[in-house]
């Protein structure tokens, strides 16, 4: 009412869109645009995934169905109760946070969704992930084509013993 009275621009959010999905409505797209991201490309990507994951797409070609089947098998058959979404790109932090919200709200029970930003969380969480209770599985979000290429440099003194990485791309090492 105030927006109309004051002549402010306002956006209509469809009643059938739940809060966790509102990122693809003006509620989410406006701040994403203000942050400098191309919302047209984001929406185009979301539309492409909607088509790729439609219920009439064969299982062998449907990434969402495959992901759901793997998650269910890990939960039901292998007793994995925690899924950790991991990324090596700081720009993906809030995507992982959104993923936690989506899965936490949508599932509510069963698999506990967690997220880690590697390498930031690698030291603090890596030991637990590698040596802790075997109740977890990891899903790694990987950038196929990073915007920038960062190569490991040469260190004349090889103080850290990592010169074997010289000339390799940081993103390739992370993927290993």
């Amino acid at each position: 009412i105030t927006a109309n009275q004051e002549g402010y621009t306002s956006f209509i959010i469809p009643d059938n869109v739940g809060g966790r999905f509102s990122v693809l409505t003006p509620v989410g797209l406006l701040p994403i645009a203000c942050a400098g991201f191309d919302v047209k490309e984001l929406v185009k990507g979301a539309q492409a995934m909607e088509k790729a994951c439609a219920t009439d797409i064969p299982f062998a070609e449907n990434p969402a169905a495959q992901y759901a089947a793997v998650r269910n098998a890990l939960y039901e058959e292998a007793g994995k109760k925690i899924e950790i979404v991991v990324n090596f790109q700081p720009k993906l932090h809030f995507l992982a946070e959104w993923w936690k919200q989506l899965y936490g709200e949508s599932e509510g029970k069963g698999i506990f969704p967690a997220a880690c930003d590697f390498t930031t969380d690698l030291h603090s969480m890596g030991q637990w992930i590698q040596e802790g209770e075997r109740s977890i599985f990891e899903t790694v979000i990987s950038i196929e084509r990073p915007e920038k290429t960062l190569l490991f440099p040469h260190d004349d003194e090889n103080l850290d013993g990592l010169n074997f990485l010289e000339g390799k791309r940081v993103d390739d090492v992370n993927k290993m």
Side-chain angles (χ1 to χ4, degrees), residues 140-151:
V140 178
I141 301 173
S142 180
I143 302 297
E144 188 173 353
R145 289 180 303 275
E147 286 180 1
K148 297 180 182 164
T149 299
L150 181 61
L151 303 178

Side-chain angles (χ1 to χ4, degrees), residues 102-117:
L102 285 172
Y103 279 83
E105 286 185 33
S106 297
E107 295 180 329
K109 299 176 184 76
I111 298 171
F112 178 82
C116 289
D117 297 322

